[in-house]
Every structure is written in structure tokens, then in C-alpha cells.
Amino acid sequence: AASTVTGEVGIYEYGIEGNTQRALLQHHQMSTRALTYSHDGDTLFMGSKDCNISAYDLAGARVSGTMSNAHDAPISCLRIIDENCLVSADDDGMAKIWDLRQARCTHELNEHEDFISDIQLGKDGKSLICSGGDGYVSIWNRKNGKLLAMSDQMDDEFLSVQLMKRGRKAVLGTQSGILAIFSWGNWGDMTDRFIGHPQSVESMCKVDEDSLITCSEDGIIRVISIQPNKLLGIIGEHDGYPVEHIDVSHDRAYLASCSHDNTVKFWNISYLYEDDDDDVEGEEEEEEEVQEEEEG
């Protein structure tokens, strides 16, 4: 799915032989700024500058529900936590936790002074980490809505966040292009950083526990190793146009990137996971050998 500043949302079926538009939604009257699918892929949630959140049922090909005036400010971010929980955030720094079974807000998280750019679920399944345009990182308990920790304020904007090293490190993309690295539980200040992007890091996708993919305002999509911090390679670029967002397909075969050049490009990234597949196969073979020895 891809959205526009005029509010339209296009849903596409993509493939090597071509792409087919399955739906064009026009129910939001202002820019649709956040999209996220349910974990089963049956529902697309949309957040708009009109402060509304809507849900589209792909099987029924219909808008299945709308939470009107879900926020008092334009919505900046959406994140599905599980089949019953959605988290939304807005330009004023307010985040809300929603019970989708009742379409009601259960908790309001209000500590940021500017827009919340990204939200991720902690490894414990209970913590939410929010990155803010005010230079703060906040950690919340999603069960009771209580603030657990907040970083010192950084003289920069946090635009994206990913958890690495099995949840022990939080990597945040910034307006200046630095990747700020925090140690989980030590939120006073970043403990490490990677300098390698000349402009802002708008979005990131996790490859594995040690590497991630970044997209930048300079139009280049990079693969980065985290601790050791180094550039592993370049996947592609949008001819100098800023890349706003990237996401990995469900089968980890493709990376989709959208840019100011009004295109969505697909990149074959299956080679990035070949070593991971070999590791899994090796572990399975070792388990089989142990079982055979025990039976013998």
C-alpha cells in the first residue's frame, strides 16, 4: 500500500512480471501519513492529517471502520502491536494505545513536546519505545500506560528507531544523519553512534540482530552493520530524490522504497538473508545429530 499527500491510498499486488492496483481509497480528505497492516495481513490501518484513523478490510474490499477525531493533531505514526492493540501518535507528541476490539483508547502517553516519528515494541513484549522530533526517546509500559524512562534531550530530531542485538540496543535515525545508539535501560545519553549519512535518516528496516537497512534524504539506501559500526553496502538509490520510507516484504525477498520522485521501487534483498538461512539449517542439522546420538 502507498499513500499520497492528497489523501489517496493505493493498494497494489506486486510481482516480477508487473504490479496491479487492487484498490484506490479516497475517504481521507487530507494527507494520509501512516499505514500499517494487521499481522494477518487482512486489514490495512490508515492515519491521516485529518486526525482520523480508518481500517480497510482487504477481503471484503471495504472501509470497515473509522475512528473520527482520534487525535487532536495530525497523525504521524501507527504501529500494530498484536491483533487487539494499535498504537497511534501525532504531531503534538501524543501517543495513544487502542483496544481494537472496542475501538477505544485505553491509555494516552503524553510526554513529548513535538511529533512522534516512530514506535517499536520492546523485546519483553510490554515496553514501547517512541522516537520524537523533540530529541527525546521515551519508554512506556503498554499495559498500564506508565512512563518507564526518558532520555536526555538531544540537539537533533529522532526520525526512526529499530531494536538490535536482541533488544539490548536501540538505534535511532536522526535529522542530522547520525545513527544514535542507546543501550536498553541506559537512556541518559547515547552510548555509541554511527556517522555515515550526509543527510537525515528517514526510515530503517532490520535485517538481523547485527545489521539494518537505512534510507536517507540523499536518496541512497544503505546496509549498515551495528557494533562493529560500518557501511556494508548500497542497495540502490532514487536518483538524488529523498527516500521517505522503506519496508521489507513478508518473505524477506524484496525491499520497497518510496521517494519524492513519485515512485515505489522494489529491490531484491534475498541475498542479505542467505547466511541467516544457512545458520538455521546448521542448527537444525546439529539438533538432528544430537537426537540420533540419544536414540543410539
Side-chain angles (χ1 to χ4, degrees), residues 5-271:
V5 294
T6 54
E8 293 93 347
V9 177
I11 300 176
Y12 300 85
E13 182 177 327
Y14 62 89
I16 296 176
E17 297 180 356
N19 307 313
T20 304
Q21 187 180 82
R22 294 303 184 190
L24 180 62
L25 311 180
Q26 298 177 309
H27 57 287
H28 284 293
Q29 301 305 308
M30 303 177 74
S31 173
T32 304
R33 306 168 72 192
L35 303 173
T36 188
Y37 280 100
S38 59
H39 287 168
D40 59 14
D42 292 339
T43 305
L44 175 67
F45 294 93
M46 295 157 279
S48 173
K49 189 176 180 180
D50 62 15
C51 304
N52 299 335
I53 298 174
S54 60
Y56 180 78
D57 178 2
L58 274 75
R62 64 186 182 90
V63 176
S64 55
T66 300
M67 292 186 285
S68 300
N69 299 314
H71 283 256
D72 293 332
I75 293 168
S76 58
C77 179
L78 293 176
R79 180 68 61 187
I80 277 287
I81 302 303
D82 57 38
E83 65 273 14
N84 299 319
C85 181
L86 172 74
V87 183
S88 60
D90 65 32
D91 280 359
D92 283 350
M94 170 74 78
K96 293 186 178 184
I97 301 175
W98 300 87
D99 184 339
L100 295 175
R101 293 167 296 188
Q102 304 176 44
R104 69 180 184 90
C105 176
T106 58
H107 300 292
E108 293 185 352
L109 320 177
N110 190 19
E111 287 291 336
H112 285 274
E113 302 168 356
D114 204 343
F115 69 94
I116 293 175
S117 57
D118 202 359
I119 301 168
Q120 294 291 343
L121 179 66
K123 184 176 174 57
D124 59 7
K126 299 177 182 179
S127 304
L128 294 175
I129 178 170
C130 301
S131 57
D134 54 4
Y136 286 108
V137 182
S138 62
I139 313 299
W140 302 83
N141 184 319
R142 75 178 182 94
K143 299 292 187 180
N144 58 25
K146 291 185 177 180
L147 178 68
L148 299 176
M150 200 151 188
S151 71
D152 292 340
Q153 188 173 27
M154 186 174 175
D155 189 21
D156 207 341
E157 295 181 1
F158 290 127
L159 303 179
S160 50
V161 59
Q162 284 292 336
L163 296 179
M164 310 293 292
K165 304 292 184 179
R166 294 171 177 80
R168 297 193 303 272
K169 301 293 181 180
V171 181
L172 290 106
T174 67
Q175 180 67 37
S176 66
I178 293 172
L179 295 184
I181 303 173
F182 287 80
S183 296
W184 189 272
N186 182 13
W187 301 107
D189 197 0
M190 59 181 171
T191 56
D192 197 2
R193 63 179 183 171
F194 173 79
I195 302 174
H197 299 82
Q199 297 179 27
S200 62
V201 179
E202 302 288 335
S203 177
M204 300 186 292
C205 289
K206 184 174 177 178
V207 176
D208 53 35
E209 298 299 332
D210 303 311
S211 58
L212 50 76
I213 302 170
T214 66
C215 70
S216 176
E217 191 177 358
D218 67 357
I220 298 176
I221 303 168
R222 299 170 172 86
V223 185
I224 306 294
S225 168
I226 299 299
Q227 295 186 341
N229 302 332
K230 59 181 179 179
L231 173 66
L232 297 179
I234 293 175
I235 291 175
E237 60 180 302
H238 277 259
D239 300 322
Y241 288 95
V243 182
E244 286 286 334
H245 191 73
I246 53 176
D247 208 349
V248 176
S249 63
H250 66 93
D251 57 2
R252 305 195 303 181
Y254 299 101
L255 178 80
S257 60
C258 62
S259 171
H260 288 193
D261 60 4
N262 295 324
T263 65
V264 177
K265 292 186 177 182
F266 292 88
W267 312 89
N268 186 337
I269 59 167
S270 57
Y271 63 91

